[in-house]
Amino acid sequence: MPDQALSHVRVLDVSHHIAGPYLSKLLADYGADVVKIENPAGGDLARRLGPFPGDLPHSEKSGTFLHLNTNKRGITLDLKTKTGQQIFRELVKDVDIVVENFAPGVMSSWGLGFDDLSEINPRLVMTSISNFGQTGPYRDYKATDIVIFAMGGPMASTGTDDREPLKLYGWTTLAQVALDAHVATLAALFHATLHREGQHIDVSLMDAMLSSIDRRGNYLLAYEYNGKTSTWRTAAAGGRCIFSRLGMPCKDGYILFTMQQRYWERFCAWIGHPELLEDPRLQTAEDRITPEANAFVDAIGGQFLLEHTMAELMDSMQSGGIPGGAVYTVADVVGDPHFQAREYFVELEHPVAGKLTYPGPLWRPTETPWQIRRVAPMLGQHNEEIYCGRLGYEKADMVRLRQLGVI
Amino acid sequence: MRKLPLEGIRILDLCVVWAGPFGAMQLADLGAEVIRVEAMQYTFVNQRGVPYPSRAPQSIAAIGHYYPDYEFGERPWNRFAVANYYGRNKLGMTVDLSRAEGVEVFKRLVKMSDGVVENQAARNMEAFGLDYDVLSQLNPGLIMVRFPGFGTSGPYKHRLGYGFTMDAITAHTSLRRYPDLPPDETTTVYHGDACAGAAMAGAFIQALLYRARTGKGQLIDMSQCENVIHTFAPAYMDFFMNGRVQEPMGNRDSSMVQGCYPCDGEDKWCVISIAGDEQWEALCDIMGRPDLAGDPRFVDVLSRRKNQDELDGYVIEWTLFQDQYEVMRKLQAAGIAAGPVIENPDVHRDPHVQAREHMVAVEHAECGIHRHTGPLYKLSETPCRMGAAPLLGQHNMYIYRELLGYSDDEIERLVKENHIGDRFLPEAR
């Protein structure tokens, strides 16, 4: 197998649900040796999240869990027990990174806070992801994806004006911040490699969302510049574009685009109405942003859209140099020739869940490719490998630990 | 002063729009010397605004709010909020890559750099003659990340896209719409840009770690679409497991009772997620409706989810007269996930944002002192820096003279030929 970027990196992952596991998946998919620790009583709660094949819940068949935990080895360990904590300290000795996303203070209450662990391993990078960060008045508040999007993201300006603000799909904000946490974790690892100094990284979902893009950091700066805040929720193009909207219906669905004024000539050619270029009412950008002009162009262009399919429109607008994208369903994406040509989706065989298709490479390094070395672990699957192989326990010790509920 | 993690790493930033500059910002926050490579002849949407906005009468209404006090100033490009946000901590140079001499300057710079990152249309790098094959000949240790919308291969390689058109084509738009409205009845979103930018920065540091171990540079190809699909995994796994195309749920959750509810005030909202029985009973108590806890329509998690329309009616009867922050405080005290849908002014006065010092004052030569949202994460030993974004061409002398060793005569010539400058040409677009 080709070398991977993080082949020499060891990670101890005590995270659960979405954000922490997605971060450790990014590490594992690019080569890191990630040992995932789950509680012996049921394991990661993502095992309870759907979808399940045939809608039959099974702790080894959760689509969410299977996706988020590729390439990791799994062990069980009850960190609430003193013995469990002691075993964790042993495991920390020779790892580079610890990932956790318990509520702030939980790891410390077990004697496993960063200060405790860095005494054992001074080069340790520990990444803690939490809803609101390790400090501050909201530190202990509960959150879900919608709460994070409401308080950190641009929810106030997402949706349509005469309705309630709208969140994004599923747990997208948690995944978005995991990608940021990945940057910080690797930068700290790079630093630890060069300077032999570990550190603790406090990732607050709310902070990270506030500093992101899509109407956050830059809009907040614009607000700071002049006190203007716009919370309009609309699909309108803001009175600047050729079409008055950013999305419109077509023959078999919908298509989105940003029809900037600089595309005017391309636009007229695209919709097959070159005579509009000569229309005295539409000569300049200022002419074309009047409500009358917008209504006129919306009608003539909208008719063109209704006469063509999503696929035809994407082809014709793109070859005419105009960016746009059809509102695909998941089925459309999977059937699309581009995703097929790049062999993006991959089929993997799991001993319990069976043969399933998964999303593939997040990015494609030429020298150190994305690889699936193993599918997601079954609960406690690698106990023997880690406890006996890495820590040198006897099998009889494993039986004792099991009987006492530690593993 | 302690070294930042990426100190000493030089990265040439050819990124455009949001995703790329945002990712390069994270690398700069962490100490890399990120050089924004711009030109006096052209700019891109969202990079420096419109070079001469006062010539377009509609500009003040359309983009005026991006400029301090609605004033474009003498050099509008230096006062544009978007550039000044994600430009932070970067250096700025100008060079026209559409001419051979500009390409030569860039190649000289590549020889003494660690990385090149770019998310322009795939054809641009090839048109400039700046393929990885060319650049890696000059510098075998070079790390280059290229991430146009659809990647650098495949039938759509040359297709153009923005964050929201790729949101559409990765099925997110159809998954996140209001269940009862068509997909063109909601704001466009750029979630994929935020993901792709961060992914680029992470992929870059992975390659740095690999290079530190092996001495080898490499090219990384990323498709923004492929990257973001992972964040919609449940919908894709459902399709592969069950052949199901999921219906949009809006603000609702598949198991929790969850929604966005109107509060006291104009266009004020809060969000609430109720997971189990205990939280439901606590909510009924707080709303002063203990009777609802025993109501057969809402007696267990399944009935509550099934009868959510009616349940929401009762919640709204209560939230309508509550302050949105009060909802958060009252419900959080009972262990219920809830929060206000905050607007820009709320961020500034939010006690948590203040306590964590997440708004950081930054002084900018042509804009003054303003608060920016701070680094995305807090590193205990090497905290990220917060410096101003570069003015157009601000670091030309450092780059051309100190780094590249051009003589005064050569620099004078490059100034005349409009490679080196601190303003856009009148015909720039």
Side-chain angles (χ1 to χ4, degrees):
Chain A
M1 268 193 187
D3 200 2
Q4 285 189 280
L6 305 180
S7 294
H8 292 57
V9 177
R10 281 185 164 191
V11 181
L12 202 51
D13 175 18
V14 266
S15 69
H16 57 282
H17 198 229
I18 310 296
Y22 190 47
L23 161 58
S24 57
K25 172 187 167 70
L26 299 173
L27 302 171
D29 281 7
Y30 290 95
D33 173 19
V34 176
V35 174
K36 178 182 179 74
I37 296 178
E38 298 181 80
N39 72 68
D44 185 345
L45 68 88
R47 290 181 181 276
R48 292 191 243 151
L49 300 178
F52 297 99
D55 292 329
L56 291 169
H58 185 294
S59 61
E60 301 300 348
K61 297 183 183 178
S62 154
T64 300
F65 181 88
L66 291 170
H67 166 257
L68 288 172
N69 292 286
T70 50
N71 287 317
K72 303 175 193 176
R73 290 191 286 174
I75 62 172
T76 51
L77 185 62
D78 185 356
L79 294 174
K80 293 192 193 83
T81 63
K82 287 268 183 276
T83 305
Q85 293 156 12
Q86 192 46 40
I87 292 172
F88 187 84
R89 285 188 202 98
E90 282 186 57
L91 286 167
V92 159
K93 281 181 190 159
D94 61 353
V95 301
D96 304 289
I97 295 168
V98 166
V99 176
E100 67 96 7
N101 63 344
F102 289 109
V106 168
M107 288 292 277
S108 302
S109 74
W110 292 334
L112 306 174
F114 178 70
D115 292 342
D116 307 302
L117 300 181
S118 68
E119 265 181 41
I120 302 167
N121 178 354
R123 290 172 60 177
L124 181 70
V125 171
M126 178 166 171
T127 301
S128 297
I129 305 179
S130 58
N131 297 324
F132 298 99
Q134 303 293 313
T135 60
Y138 303 166
R139 184 186 105 129
D140 300 321
Y141 278 6
K142 302 271 189 292
T144 53
D145 182 79
I146 196 174
V147 174
I148 297 301
F149 192 58
M151 295 180 70
M155 184 162 175
S157 56
T158 306
T160 189
D161 257 339
D162 46 4
R163 288 284 292 270
E164 70 282 7
L166 186 65
K167 80 187 282 285
L168 307 183
Y169 172 75
W171 36 254
T172 43
T173 60
L174 311 184
Q176 188 179 314
V177 176
L179 284 154
D180 299 322
H182 174 247
V183 179
T185 303
L186 290 183
L189 177 66
F190 191 64
H191 179 85
T193 310
L194 293 178
H195 304 288
R196 303 181 171 277
E197 175 186 59
Q199 58 185 316
H200 188 206
I201 303 169
D202 172 10
V203 182
S204 148
L205 292 163
M206 181 184 177
D207 282 2
M209 289 302 293
L210 284 171
S211 293
S212 186
I213 44 174
D214 190 4
R215 293 165 280 150
R216 295 325 284 158
N218 43 359
Y219 276 49
L220 284 162
L221 182 58
Y223 170 72
E224 178 79 358
Y225 275 179
N226 54 41
K228 183 186 148 126
T229 184
S230 58
T231 49
W232 39 259
R233 300 183 286 279
T234 176
R240 275 175 289 166
C241 294
I242 297 169
F243 274 136
S244 67
R245 300 178 64 79
L246 296 169
M248 289 171 75
C250 61
K251 193 173 182 180
D252 61 345
Y254 292 83
I255 188 146
L256 303 190
F257 37 66
T258 174
M259 217 52 83
Q260 296 164 22
Q261 293 293 347
R262 64 194 174 98
Y263 298 139
W264 176 239
E265 287 178 24
R266 299 177 194 179
F267 172 83
C268 295
W270 175 50
I271 64 166
H273 284 282
E275 79 281 2
L276 293 181
L277 290 172
E278 311 300 326
D279 193 318
R281 296 166 300 169
L282 302 170
Q283 285 307 300
T284 67
E286 289 80 69
D287 295 339
R288 296 190 293 268
I289 59 171
T290 64
E292 300 74 41
N294 259 156
F296 174 70
V297 175
D298 280 357
I300 199 166
Q303 185 56 39
F304 168 77
L305 297 181
L306 287 173
E307 286 162 5
H308 295 89
T309 64
M310 296 194 289
E312 289 165 359
L313 290 171
M314 277 202 296
D315 276 346
S316 61
M317 72 197 295
Q318 290 281 354
S319 50
I322 303 172
V327 179
Y328 267 5
T329 64
V330 169
D332 294 328
V333 179
V334 173
D336 185 275
H338 181 74
F339 292 92
Q340 289 179 352
R342 280 173 63 91
E343 298 179 340
Y344 172 62
F345 294 102
V346 296
E347 194 174 68
L348 304 172
E349 174 94 40
H350 182 279
V352 179
K355 206 176 266 185
L356 290 168
T357 306
Y358 295 66
L362 295 121
W363 55 85
R364 303 172 189 242
T366 45
E367 298 292 318
T368 56
W370 180 87
Q371 289 173 46
I372 297 293
R373 309 184 305 282
R374 60 178 88 239
V375 290
M378 295 180 284
L379 189 63
Q381 185 184 345
H382 303 95
N383 279 349
E384 186 186 341
E385 249 179 75
I386 301 299
Y387 290 124
C388 301
R390 188 183 285 191
L391 294 183
Y393 288 110
E394 303 289 330
K395 280 193 172 164
D397 293 333
M398 293 213 0
V399 174
R400 284 181 203 109
L401 290 170
R402 178 76 197 104
Q403 288 177 170
L404 295 168
V406 176
I407 67 171
Chain B
M1 223 172 93
R2 189 177 237 139
K3 278 189 184 298
L4 287 169
L6 301 183
E7 208 160 318
I9 302 297
R10 181 174 298 135
I11 299 165
L12 308 179
D13 172 9
L14 289 170
C15 295
V16 295
V17 200
W18 282 7
F22 172 68
M25 177 190 90
Q26 294 201 36
L27 296 168
D29 286 359
L30 289 158
E33 183 184 271
V34 176
I35 300 174
R36 230 66 194 104
V37 181
E38 300 180 278
M40 302 165 68
Q41 287 77 7
Y42 48 83
T43 182
F44 292 88
V45 184
N46 277 341
Q47 266 195 292
R48 289 282 185 182
V50 180
Y52 291 98
S54 50
R55 287 187 206 153
Q58 81 275 20
S59 291
I60 293 180
I63 57 169
H65 61 285
Y66 283 116
Y67 298 83
D69 308 316
Y70 292 85
E71 295 288 339
F72 294 129
E74 217 247 309
R75 290 171 292 273
W77 47 86
N78 291 334
R79 292 168 59 83
F80 187 59
V82 178
N84 288 346
Y85 179 66
Y86 62 44
R88 73 186 186 205
N89 298 315
K90 299 179 187 175
L91 305 184
M93 74 174 291
T94 55
V95 61
D96 180 7
L97 293 177
S98 70
R99 287 179 286 155
E101 177 139 42
V103 170
E104 206 42 50
V105 169
F106 187 82
K107 285 181 177 171
R108 282 175 71 168
L109 203 46
V110 163
K111 286 184 195 166
M112 53 178 68
S113 296
D114 300 281
V116 174
V117 294
E118 70 92 12
N119 65 329
Q120 303 196 18
R123 66 170 70 91
N124 286 9
M125 285 301 110
E126 282 129 57
F128 294 147
L130 296 173
D131 289 346
Y132 182 74
D133 288 346
V134 174
L135 300 184
S136 63
Q137 297 273 322
L138 304 170
N139 177 356
L142 187 75
I143 296 163
M144 185 173 189
V145 190
R146 300 192 58 192
F147 60 119
F150 295 93
T152 59
S153 70
Y156 300 168
K157 170 182 172 182
H158 290 298
R159 286 197 173 179
L160 307 171
Y162 287 101
F164 76 93
T165 62
M166 286 179 273
D167 193 73
I169 211 171
T170 53
H172 188 209
T173 307
S174 68
L175 290 164
R176 66 176 177 78
R177 66 181 167 90
Y178 292 102
D180 56 335
L181 290 178
D184 64 338
E185 287 288 340
T186 175
T187 321
T188 53
V189 307
Y190 300 77
H191 162 72
D193 282 337
C195 289
M200 175 277 276
F204 188 89
I205 305 174
Q206 285 195 356
L208 268 183
L209 284 157
Y210 176 72
R211 195 186 68 173
R213 182 155 60 80
T214 63
K216 287 188 203 157
Q218 61 178 314
L219 170 68
I220 298 169
D221 160 43
M222 179 165 74
S223 147
Q224 183 168 323
C225 294
E226 291 175 353
N227 179 65
V228 79
I229 280 175
H230 281 257
T231 73
F232 318 132
Y236 281 85
M237 297 302 282
D238 205 3
F239 179 76
F240 290 124
M241 285 175 159
N242 301 310
R244 178 186 292 135
V245 173
Q246 289 188 354
E247 289 296 323
M249 279 189 289
N251 289 323
R252 290 192 175 177
D253 182 79
S254 52
S255 54
M256 290 183 287
V257 167
Q258 177 175 286
C260 178
Y261 305 98
C263 292
D264 184 33
E266 194 190 333
D267 202 28
K268 299 289 179 193
W269 305 85
C270 67
V271 296
I272 304 174
S273 306
I274 306 154
D277 300 331
E278 220 173 280
Q279 291 165 320
W280 167 240
E281 282 161 25
L283 178 67
C284 293
D285 210 37
I286 292 165
M287 297 194 302
R289 294 297 304 268
D291 55 307
L292 292 176
D295 192 312
R297 289 170 299 171
F298 313 129
V299 74
D300 55 43
V301 284
L302 297 179
S303 353
R304 287 194 289 276
R305 189 63 185 77
K306 188 169 137 222
N307 300 313
Q308 194 179 335
D309 288 343
E310 289 163 77
L311 187 151
D312 281 350
Y314 291 109
V315 175
I316 291 168
E317 278 180 18
W318 178 71
T319 57
L320 257 181
F321 300 96
Q322 303 291 316
D323 172 83
Q324 55 175 186
Y325 268 81
E326 273 303 300
V327 172
M328 171 182 77
R329 283 187 278 268
K330 286 176 182 165
L331 299 193
Q332 289 282 0
I336 300 169
V341 178
I342 67 175
E343 296 165 46
N344 294 348
D346 302 319
V347 176
H348 287 262
R349 51 177 179 251
D350 187 281
H352 187 73
V353 173
Q354 288 175 359
R356 285 179 63 80
E357 298 177 343
H358 193 53
M359 299 299 293
V360 183
V362 174
E363 181 164 9
H364 183 279
E366 299 199 8
C367 297
I369 298 176
H370 295 95
R371 289 169 299 172
H372 297 229
T373 45
L376 288 98
Y377 21 69
K378 293 187 188 302
L379 283 74
S380 63
E381 305 305 313
T382 58
C384 292
R385 55 181 171 163
M386 280 294 286
L391 311 175
L392 184 71
Q394 184 180 347
H395 303 93
N396 276 336
M397 283 308 114
Y398 162 71
I399 288 152
Y400 281 93
R401 183 173 285 139
E402 283 183 46
L403 292 184
L404 297 175
Y406 281 99
S407 68
D408 288 352
D409 287 352
E410 287 170 309
I411 288 175
E412 199 180 323
R413 192 170 52 77
L414 290 166
V415 169
K416 274 195 195 126
E417 291 179 3
N418 290 326
H419 287 290
I420 299 178
D422 61 2
R423 43 195 316 125
F424 283 106
L425 299 178
E427 66 275 19
R429 46 176 292 165

